[in-house]
Amino acid sequence: RRYVAGGRCKSTARLDGKVVIITGANTGIGKETARDLARRGKVIIACRDIAKAEAAAGEIRAETGNQQVIVKKLDLADTKSIREFADNFLAEEKELHILINNAGVMLCPYSKTADGFEMHLGVNHLGHFLLTFLLLERLKQSAPARIVNVSSLAHHGGRIRFHDLHGEKRYNRGLAYCHSKLANVLFTRELARRLQGKSQRRAEQFSAWLLSNVVTANSLHPGSVHSELVRHSFVMTWLWRIFSFFLKTPWEGAQTSVYCAVAEELESVTGQYFSDCRPAYVSPWGRDDETAKKLWNVSCELLGIQWD
């Protein structure tokens, strides 16, 4: 059981006066991440299902005694909802220190988002890509700040099929999930490169300033977790129940997310991929800088944004 549980975040860092956003935090890994961080500071739970989110937030408030656990509407399958969430947040909050892009879908039957994107790509990658874009300036203003993208070991099975990004020619829901998780890794890599490039230029004149004004971006594999993520597959749901002893609990699965969000030793670490609270191996496709750059540009085109 201890082996299956994996690494644990041992940091006792406080987040007093700091603001955290966690997407998809009404259940599973996201909820446990919110529960931990609510013991440290202010947490905003961003979810599509407001009723479930309020129930989760009420439970966390009662357990932690922290009344600054706030629920906000966010549907990552609809860019209009993402923009409304960002506009409301920026109007109400003057700082943002940690953005955890946790929400995701897995093994969905073929479907598209409100904007016509294949569901896995649209929610897991493009939705979080747009959300990060809209909130990045506030993260920079609040630096030091962190962006944490929840990916998966499944990225090893993914490929970025630019000729058929939305699976209209060929669709396999298992592979579609893998492709979207690879997109998370590549997005993190390219985002970190761009942020680091600007920081390095500034560092030539302001080295001390750099240490306290950095925005980092890292991705992670939470482990195989007994959660609702497999709800779209009867077979996977059945297997998850049978082999639950060999799966992480949601609390155990949340440990690497918490680690990436608060660990002191990661203050200036960026562009890395973690599992069990330590650096992990990234597939060759996840280290392809040219693919990362192309995916960035294509994502901007699909979303109708300019992010230089």
Side-chain angles (χ1 to χ4, degrees):
R1 249 325 299 180
R2 278 197 297 269
Y3 175 79
V4 170
R8 296 189 178 186
C9 178
K10 298 178 181 179
S11 172
T12 58
R14 297 287 306 169
L15 297 174
D16 300 305
K18 296 190 175 183
V19 179
V20 181
I21 291 176
I22 310 174
T23 67
N26 59 1
T27 187
I29 297 169
K31 181 180 177 181
E32 293 306 319
T33 303
R35 193 193 307 274
D36 182 289
L37 298 184
R39 295 189 175 96
R40 307 171 190 253
K42 182 174 182 176
V43 174
I44 295 175
I45 293 176
C47 295
R48 178 178 57 84
D49 191 327
I50 292 295
K52 287 185 69 173
E54 287 290 0
E59 179 186 318
I60 293 170
R61 290 187 204 109
E63 183 177 322
T64 64
N66 182 3
Q67 297 307 304
Q68 288 192 308
V69 180
I70 300 167
V71 173
K72 296 290 184 183
K73 172 79 171 180
L74 172 64
D75 184 354
L76 288 162
D78 186 346
T79 58
K80 181 180 178 181
S81 174
I82 298 169
R83 290 182 180 278
E84 287 177 352
F85 169 85
D87 288 343
N88 291 336
F89 173 84
L90 294 173
E92 296 171 4
E93 301 287 344
K94 300 308 178 186
E95 294 186 307
L96 174 59
H97 302 89
I98 301 171
L99 171 61
I100 302 180
N101 291 319
N102 165 83
V105 294
M106 180 180 182
L107 303 175
C108 299
Y110 189 77
S111 57
K112 290 187 175 182
T113 68
D115 302 275
F117 309 138
E118 186 278 316
M119 190 61 69
H120 292 91
L121 181 76
V123 171
N124 298 352
H125 169 59
L126 291 172
H128 284 129
F129 187 96
L130 178 60
L131 179 65
T132 305
F133 166 74
L134 295 171
L135 298 178
L136 187 58
E137 286 306 313
R138 188 57 46 91
L139 284 160
K140 289 179 180 179
Q141 294 164 9
S142 310
R146 304 187 189 191
I147 300 165
V148 179
N149 294 323
V150 179
S151 180
S152 170
L153 182 69
H155 85 270
H156 285 268
R159 305 290 185 273
I160 304 302
R161 304 172 67 244
F162 290 107
H163 65 286
D164 189 24
L165 272 179
H166 303 293
E168 294 170 328
K169 297 178 182 177
R170 186 180 65 181
Y171 181 74
N172 177 290
R173 56 186 179 172
L175 289 177
Y177 176 73
C178 295
H179 301 334
S180 70
K181 294 291 101 178
L182 174 59
N184 293 154
V185 173
L186 290 169
F187 167 47
T188 304
R189 186 177 183 88
E190 180 64 7
L191 176 60
R193 185 189 70 80
R194 289 168 179 254
L195 291 171
Q196 194 173 37
K198 292 181 180 180
S199 296
Q200 286 173 342
R201 289 193 293 273
R202 291 168 179 163
E204 294 175 2
Q205 294 179 320
F206 306 106
S207 57
W209 176 92
L210 170 66
L211 293 176
S212 61
N213 289 274
V214 65
V215 178
T216 61
N218 292 297
S219 61
L220 65 98
H221 168 54
S224 297
V225 180
H226 194 276
S227 71
E228 296 180 12
L229 191 60
V230 296
R231 62 186 178 276
H232 292 291
S233 170
F234 172 78
V235 173
M236 289 296 292
T237 301
W238 182 70
L239 289 173
W240 248 227
R241 289 174 180 170
I242 292 176
F243 296 105
S244 61
F245 183 79
F246 299 99
L247 300 173
K248 289 184 178 184
T249 65
W251 182 85
E252 292 163 349
Q255 292 304 298
T256 306
S257 294
V258 174
Y259 174 74
C260 289
V262 304
E264 297 89 341
E265 61 267 30
L266 299 187
E267 183 176 351
S268 59
V269 174
T270 191
Q272 300 300 306
Y273 171 74
F274 293 86
S275 179
D276 285 327
C277 300
R278 59 178 183 267
Y281 179 75
V282 179
S283 77
W285 297 275
R287 289 180 270 120
D288 188 328
D289 289 333
E290 290 307 310
T291 300
K293 292 173 186 176
K294 184 174 181 180
L295 177 63
W296 182 284
N297 292 331
V298 170
S299 298
C300 287
E301 290 174 11
L302 289 171
L303 293 166
I305 61 176
Q306 290 186 332
W307 192 356
D308 296 324

